[in-house]
Amino acid sequence: MLTAFLLLGYLCGSVPFGVLLTRWLRGVDVRDSGSGNIGATNVTRVAGKKLGAVVLLLDALKGALPVGLALHWMPGDARSHALVGLAAVLGHVYPVWLRLKGGKGVATALGVLCVLVPTAALAGAVIYGLVVAKWRVSSVGSLSAAVVAIVTAFLTARSRDYVLLTAGLFVLMLWTHRSNLQRIARRTEHRL
């Protein structure tokens, strides 16, 4: 059963809502504009706040849905829940439909944490909002949120597996944000 849920998680995560919606509703490929990323931040830059908010919600849902189903069908199996969540985020970052070139995984990770460690998701979302309001740099907000999510998960998560997942997602975000980190160091990072 776990194998089926891992596949479901990956396939849900791999749906490129940013690409699909900007193409269908704006007639553009979000990968050709702004940062070239398929996630909500770049969709906001390219197609506006409303469409960016829709992509944020859908990207979060594609993380929450498979994890919620895994919780229902495999209750008490925290390791499996965490693995399904990781599969969903990996699907977003490495979608088979886009030759394994996807987004940074932040919104999908948020959706996963909303189900498994809601306090960590909430704390991370609040920090993201505060950091972006102050400095207008989404990558700094995302990484700050991930650090706060790890601490909150450590203090509140029902399972050590959920804490390990949260830490693993942070490591993955460091990897997906490596070019952002270089631009931050050079003070050339994109602003909202």
Side-chain angles (χ1 to χ4, degrees), residues 173-185:
M173 282 184 216
L174 286 175
W175 172 254
T176 62
H177 282 84
R178 61 196 183 280
S179 61
N180 301 83
L181 291 168
Q182 292 170 351
R183 287 192 298 271
I184 289 167

Side-chain angles (χ1 to χ4, degrees), residues 97-132:
W97 324 112
L98 301 179
R99 296 184 180 150
L100 307 181
K101 294 181 182 177
K104 309 235 183 237
V106 176
T108 307
L110 174 66
V112 168
L113 293 181
C114 280
V115 175
L116 296 180
V117 194
T119 53
L122 177 60
V126 168
I127 292 301
Y128 175 87
L130 292 172
V131 170
V132 170

Side-chain angles (χ1 to χ4, degrees), residues 4-172:
F5 275 101
L6 291 173
L7 183 60
L8 174 67
Y10 175 82
L11 290 175
C12 283
S14 72
V15 177
F17 287 114
V19 173
L20 296 173
L21 292 178
T22 55
R23 186 175 292 157
W24 290 341
L25 299 175
R26 299 291 191 269
V28 298
D29 189 333
V30 70
R31 297 169 295 177
D32 294 333
S33 302
S35 67
N37 193 279
I38 68 168
T41 300
N42 197 44
V43 170
T44 299
R45 285 188 192 108
V46 173
K49 290 180 183 178
K50 289 181 182 176
L51 194 54
V54 170
V55 169
L56 174 67
L57 177 63
L58 291 172
D59 281 353
L61 285 173
K62 70 187 188 181
L65 176 66
V67 172
L69 290 172
L71 274 171
H72 177 75
W73 290 101
M74 296 183 290
D77 189 351
R79 180 163 295 153
S80 292
H81 308 155
L83 289 172
V84 171
L86 179 61
V89 177
L90 288 172
H92 179 79
V93 174
Y94 301 108
V96 66
W97 324 112
L98 301 179
R99 296 184 180 150
L100 307 181
K101 294 181 182 177
K104 309 235 183 237
V106 176
T108 307
L110 174 66
V112 168
L113 293 181
C114 280
V115 175
L116 296 180
V117 194
T119 53
L122 177 60
V126 168
I127 292 301
Y128 175 87
L130 292 172
V131 170
V132 170
K134 174 77 174 168
W135 287 286
R136 313 292 299 166
V137 180
S138 182
S139 58
V140 174
S142 297
L143 295 172
S144 300
V147 170
V148 170
I150 292 170
V151 173
T152 307
F154 180 77
L155 296 172
T156 66
R158 294 175 293 160
S159 168
R160 182 177 62 106
D161 292 308
Y162 297 168
V163 178
L164 292 174
L165 170 67
T166 308
L169 292 176
F170 174 66
V171 171
L172 180 60

